[in-house]
Each structure stands twice: as C-alpha cells, then as structure tokens.
Amino acid sequence: MFEGFERRRISTGEAEIHTLIGGSGPPLLCLHGFPQTHVTWRKVAPVLAEHFTVVLTDLRGYGDSSFPASDASHAAYSKRAMASDVAAVMTTLGFERFAVAGHDRGGRVGYRLALDAPGRVSALAVLDIVPTLDTYGPMTWRGAYRSYHWYFLVQPEPMPETLIGADPDYYLEWTIRSWTALEGTIEEAAMDEYRRWFRKPGAVHAACEDYRAGYTRDMENDQRDRDAGKRIACPLLTLWGGGPTLQKPIGFLDVWKTWADDVRGGPLECGHFLPEELPKETTAALLEFFTGV
C-alpha cells in the first residue's frame, strides 16, 4: 500500500514506534485514529509525498508499534505520552519543526503536541474531532447513544476487554462500517490490516486504555489548559464528515476558535473516515492548507 516508503522501528524510550517515511520536501506527520493504523492514510499519503516528506506512525498500542504496560493512572496511554512518542520519532528523523495531520485519536495527539510543544508544530490539521473536553462536556443523551464507545471502552478492566475479546473481528468490522457513510470505500485489504492489529494479544486492552486515558488524564490536561488560557499557536484546519451516518451537533469551527486564533475548514460529504471515504477531497484540502501556511 505504501510503495517507495521506508519502514523503520524507532525507540522513544518508553515505546517502539512503527514508522514509514516517504517523499521529499517539508516534513508532514500523519497520525491515525481508532480502530485503525497508519493504513488509514494509504490513499492520501502517496500524493502528499509528492510535495512533502511524509511520516506515518502507528501510535503506541496500535498496529506494529509496541504496547507499553499501563496502570491505574492510565498515563501510559494519554495523548501527552503519545505526543511525546511522535515528537521523539521526528527528532530521530532530524525534523525539529513539522506539520501534523491527525484523524480521530491522531488528531487528539496532534493538538496535544501543539499545546505542549508549540515550537515544534508549524501547522495542524484535525480530522473529524473537537478536543476531548469539548466532546465529553456538552454530550447529550442522544450523543451518548451514538458515541456509546466513549463510555463503554472506559469501563474498568477487564469488562470491555472480555466482551470485545469474544469476537474482536465482529467488533472492529461493526465499528468501522457503522461509522462509514460511503460504502465500499474501505477495501478488504485494509480491513485485513485492521483485523491483524486488533487480533494481537494486548491490542484490545491498549485501545481501551487509550479511551480510559481520554476520560481521565486527557480531560484533566485539556481543562488545565482551558483554565490557563493556553491556545494553539499555529494555523489549524478542521475537516469533518458531514454525511448522514454521524450526527454532528457541535459547531466544529466555533469550538476550535476557542482554542486557536487561525482556524479554517469545513465539512466533507462522508462519514467519519475522511481519508478513506473521500481521499481526493481530503488530499486537496490538506495540500491547499499545508502549502499555503
């Protein structure tokens, strides 16, 4: 899927991060979300690599990266820890300042990195998310029904791990397909890669820890930054799926403007998986943004 990309496994001290590098030009880091891996960028990365040095990683606990041990604090799977990983990867590759595009959980890692290390992120694109604080805070009963996994995956270990572990393929496939508006856009080869990761021992636990960290450490970090008036310094692009599969009760642009001064973007007519459902439109929007800032 990534012809011409070099694959490396980079140690960050706490984790081993599976990394792909391709193309030439200014550095652009692309981060995936749940329940997927770097494969989510397969339709977008080759075109971006014509203009940028594209770096793809599997976040800790995902894909072919390592699964660090976790504890009751869930700090090992906080977005701060994941942001530290990818920052270390970019340092190892010789990039001190770089652009970031993040989908879903990867977008949360991206904005956390932009808040924690503003000197390192030159521009940030966040796909189909608003900050964790602004997701949990205003969620209504209808939103909780549609986004039930935000409350299911955070339940104490081993309840969700046990239930999902009974048939991980079913849970993965149902989740991805229920969040997709445009049928047939996620081909079997990609689904096979997602299944391969989700079947690994410890993968379901790592995904649950990612969400448990969101419910605890990430919320706390967002709240501290909000209370301190901390803002994202770089230009920010927000894109979201405007199709019928997922109701979007939140005004994405309005929310992000409470976190950053330079905000632009809009919806694409698809479901949650923008890089896979509408790759041409997603690529065009990313190219326009990153080449113009």
Side-chain angles (χ1 to χ4, degrees):
M1 297 179 186
F2 296 93
E3 185 177 353
F5 279 69
E6 175 192 0
R7 292 180 183 266
R8 293 181 59 180
R9 189 170 177 87
I10 297 175
S11 174
T12 69
E14 294 183 358
E16 299 281 332
I17 302 300
H18 179 229
T19 305
L20 286 74
I21 309 103
S24 61
L28 170 59
L29 172 66
C30 296
L31 304 172
H32 67 86
F34 171 85
Q36 300 183 313
T37 69
H38 72 277
V39 170
T40 195
W41 297 104
R42 68 195 176 281
K43 300 178 183 180
V44 172
V47 181
L48 293 177
E50 296 173 7
H51 306 268
F52 302 96
T53 299
V54 175
V55 179
L56 310 168
T57 73
D58 289 335
L59 299 172
R60 62 165 63 191
Y62 287 81
D64 291 318
S65 290
S66 63
F67 300 179
S70 57
D71 58 26
S73 76
H74 312 299
Y77 286 87
S78 70
K79 304 311 152 296
R80 177 162 285 162
M82 292 181 175
S84 179
D85 282 340
V86 297
V89 165
M90 297 303 278
T91 297
T92 298
L93 296 176
F95 302 126
E96 288 304 313
R97 188 164 170 82
F98 47 89
V100 180
H103 173 251
D104 188 83
R105 313 305 285 180
R108 302 184 189 286
V109 176
Y111 83 74
R112 176 45 51 197
L113 180 59
L115 287 166
D116 286 353
R120 302 211 61 183
V121 181
S122 60
L124 173 65
V126 286
L127 277 58
D128 215 51
I129 66 151
V130 294
T132 304
L133 182 66
D134 297 289
T135 301
Y136 272 121
M139 193 176 287
T140 66
W141 60 276
R142 290 187 184 277
Y145 174 79
R146 293 183 176 88
S147 299
Y148 81 96
H149 64 292
W150 280 77
Y151 297 96
F152 170 57
L153 297 176
V154 304
Q155 295 302 311
E157 180 187 358
M159 190 272 277
E161 287 94 334
T162 301
L163 297 181
I164 297 170
D167 194 343
D169 282 6
Y170 173 80
Y171 188 81
L172 178 102
E173 293 165 15
W174 185 88
T175 297
I176 290 176
R177 287 173 178 146
S178 67
W179 295 352
T180 303
L182 303 180
E183 294 184 8
T185 54
I186 302 180
E187 65 277 15
E188 273 303 300
M191 288 293 289
D192 283 344
E193 277 297 297
Y194 300 145
R195 292 185 194 102
R196 183 178 70 84
W197 157 64
F198 211 52
R199 291 169 181 167
K200 285 185 174 185
V204 173
H205 174 66
C208 291
E209 283 296 290
D210 177 2
Y211 277 84
R212 290 176 183 129
Y215 188 72
T216 56
R217 301 301 286 263
D218 298 342
M219 280 282 283
E220 293 164 5
N221 290 332
D222 280 7
Q223 188 64 64
R224 287 192 191 99
D225 286 345
R226 171 66 58 80
D227 293 344
K230 199 170 185 179
R231 296 176 68 77
I232 295 169
C234 65
L236 185 146
L237 173 73
T238 175
L239 301 173
W240 62 93
T245 301
L246 297 176
Q247 183 182 5
K248 298 293 192 296
I250 302 170
F252 278 61
L253 284 170
D254 290 340
V255 170
W256 282 112
K257 285 177 181 178
T258 69
W259 288 92
D261 294 325
D262 185 350
V263 179
R264 61 197 84 171
L268 298 180
E269 287 303 309
C270 61
H272 178 58
F273 301 105
L274 283 69
E276 296 171 288
E277 295 185 67
L278 289 179
K280 290 183 180 179
E281 292 83 351
T282 301
T283 303
L286 293 176
L287 282 175
E288 180 180 6
F289 174 63
F290 286 124
T291 58
V293 296

